[in-house]
Amino acid sequence: MVQIVERPTWARWERRELMGLPIDLVTRDQVLDAVPELVATKRSHHLVALNPIKVMRAQDESELRAGIRDAALVYPDAVGISWAVRMLHRQKIPVLPGCELMLDLFRVAARERYRLYLVGAKPEVLASVEQKIAKEHPGIEIVGSHHGYFDDADREAIAAQIVSAKPHMLFVAMGANRQETFVRAVEKAGGVPLMMTVGGSFDAYVGAVKRPPRWILKLHLEWFYRLVKQPFRAPRMIALPKFACRVLRLRYAPSADR
Ligand code: UDP
């Protein structure tokens, strides 16, 4: 059972539970409105995208579960999550794709003149991301960056460098697991007011990986598009029907699920 503890003042939305994890019933505008207040607290906050694959992994991986439970914001990054919330809590929540939220946060950062630190992706992709941000958002100061292919042994040193650069926002674009582990290292080193793990969003931002066509996004078939384009992802997608079955059991036969 997730402890829904007292919420900070900037979190003007409800939080619910989904299979032992928190999920915030939040709109894009609410998140963006909260950012300046959240950053001003100078405390460390992690924004986590929730999708069904992560929910299923968190059932078995205690460290991932703890990371999600400690997150300042857990937003629905996939239609499966908003469906599950509708089934289990009878509440409608919009999907907030992480890559779009990242672009929104760049706009807030430009307006508020925030300092940014970027970590992740291949060196050439990261360089293009920096150039694109500088061109599109001259109000942003990028105080440092590091590609995502460093040795685990260097993790603590890179985390310490980030904290000493005092960014307002840190975006971490590494694969699942690796990016969460990295955020924990930054938290241990002292943290950054807003830390967002963004998966493959740096690649999408600069066109290194093609975003699905709009009609695919509208039909919420991004998972299918990825499956066709990157069939190596198929094994992890076994989690999707398992997630759906679990939600249906919780909804229609909750006692059978214990
Ligand atoms: N990536 C990285 N370091 C790594 C592995 C991946 O920086 O050790 C980057 C990769 O270049 C890409 C992003 O992480 O920009 C997401 O990779 P992928 O889509 O494979 O991650 P996942 O599907 O596991 O979230």
Side-chain angles (χ1 to χ4, degrees):
M1 191 71 174
V2 180
Q3 288 288 326
I4 311 285
V5 287
E6 201 183 319
R7 307 284 297 134
T9 49
W10 49 261
R12 287 179 279 275
W13 50 81
E14 290 177 70
R15 177 167 265 205
R16 291 276 177 271
E17 182 189 339
L18 178 58
M19 294 189 204
L21 302 172
I23 178 74
D24 289 305
L25 310 189
V26 67
T27 64
R28 168 177 170 264
D29 287 345
Q30 284 174 320
V31 175
L32 300 182
D33 285 349
V35 167
E37 208 179 316
L38 175 155
V39 168
T41 65
K42 298 213 168 71
R43 295 179 61 180
S44 188
H45 303 91
H46 183 193
L47 274 50
V48 170
L50 202 61
N51 61 48
I53 294 176
K54 209 181 267 181
V55 171
M56 295 314 283
R57 264 186 41 222
Q59 305 303 301
D60 304 322
E61 295 173 30
S62 58
E63 222 183 308
L64 176 64
R65 198 161 57 238
I68 299 172
R69 284 179 176 175
D70 290 345
L73 174 76
V74 184
Y75 62 91
D77 176 51
V79 68
I81 299 297
S82 57
W83 169 76
V85 169
R86 207 165 63 238
M87 293 301 272
L88 301 176
H89 297 292
R90 291 161 211 259
Q91 273 171 303
K92 271 190 158 182
I93 49 166
V95 182
L96 299 180
C99 54
E100 289 173 22
L101 192 56
M102 178 183 84
L103 301 186
D104 287 332
L105 290 177
F106 288 169
R107 281 188 276 274
V108 174
R111 188 190 70 210
E112 303 288 329
R113 306 210 151 256
Y114 285 153
R115 292 182 297 274
L116 250 61
Y117 210 111
L118 309 169
V119 175
K122 297 192 180 117
E124 63 276 15
V125 171
L126 183 63
S128 308
V129 169
E130 287 185 60
Q131 281 165 14
K132 195 165 175 194
I133 292 177
K135 193 164 156 237
E136 291 181 349
H137 304 288
I140 292 178
E141 185 190 352
I142 299 178
V143 289
S145 67
H146 202 294
H147 65 77
Y149 292 84
F150 50 84
D151 281 347
D152 287 351
D154 296 331
R155 189 187 299 128
E156 269 69 39
I158 297 170
Q161 251 171 35
I162 294 172
V163 173
S164 63
K166 294 195 182 348
H168 298 94
M169 290 182 173
L170 165 68
F171 292 89
V172 184
M174 298 195 274
N177 284 357
R178 214 165 133 64
Q179 58 185 15
E180 279 85 24
T181 308
F182 186 72
V183 163
R184 268 192 302 280
V186 179
E187 269 167 353
K188 261 198 196 151
V192 168
L194 189 154
M195 299 183 285
M196 184 182 186
T197 34
V198 295
S201 299
F202 285 1
D203 299 72
Y205 179 50
V206 295
V209 167
K210 267 182 100 179
R211 284 280 288 150
R214 286 208 78 78
W215 67 271
I216 294 263
L217 294 174
K218 267 204 165 138
L219 292 174
H220 297 295
L221 289 174
E222 191 166 354
W223 61 274
F224 181 69
Y225 179 85
R226 287 201 189 292
L227 183 61
V228 173
K229 291 269 178 193
Q230 301 170 314
F232 65 84
R233 289 177 188 274
R236 66 174 99 166
M237 287 193 179
I238 301 288
L240 295 176
K242 283 191 186 161
F243 172 82
C245 289
R246 180 89 189 270
V247 171
L248 291 172
R249 270 210 316 274
L250 284 166
R251 162 85 191 255
Y252 295 107
S255 53
D257 201 74
R258 312 252 162 218

